[in-house]
Amino acid sequence: MQPQKFSGTFRSQSHKPMEPIALTLGQKFEIEKFSREIDNSDDLAALKSIAKDLLVAWKQQQAASAWIVRQQSQGL
């Protein structure tokens, strides 16, 4: 499995580019560690559970990011 690159440039409500978000070296190592554990797992039920947990966490992170952007655009 090829490691994914996790960085990007995001735009605020005013459409001004924000700084790219980059993972720390420690986060990259964690991704690699857990990726290998997933690759080596034969437990389909556990993998499904992990996938669902990650989906919820991802959507919560999106909601939190959107809230921060709204707060910044309101000057709070």
Side-chain angles (χ1 to χ4, degrees), residues 28-45:
K28 291 176 185 178
F29 277 115
E30 283 186 293
I31 289 170
E32 182 60 30
K33 174 188 170 196
F34 289 116
S35 291
R36 289 177 188 209
E37 288 183 23
I38 290 169
D39 287 341
N40 293 327
S41 178
D42 293 327
D43 188 345
L44 184 58

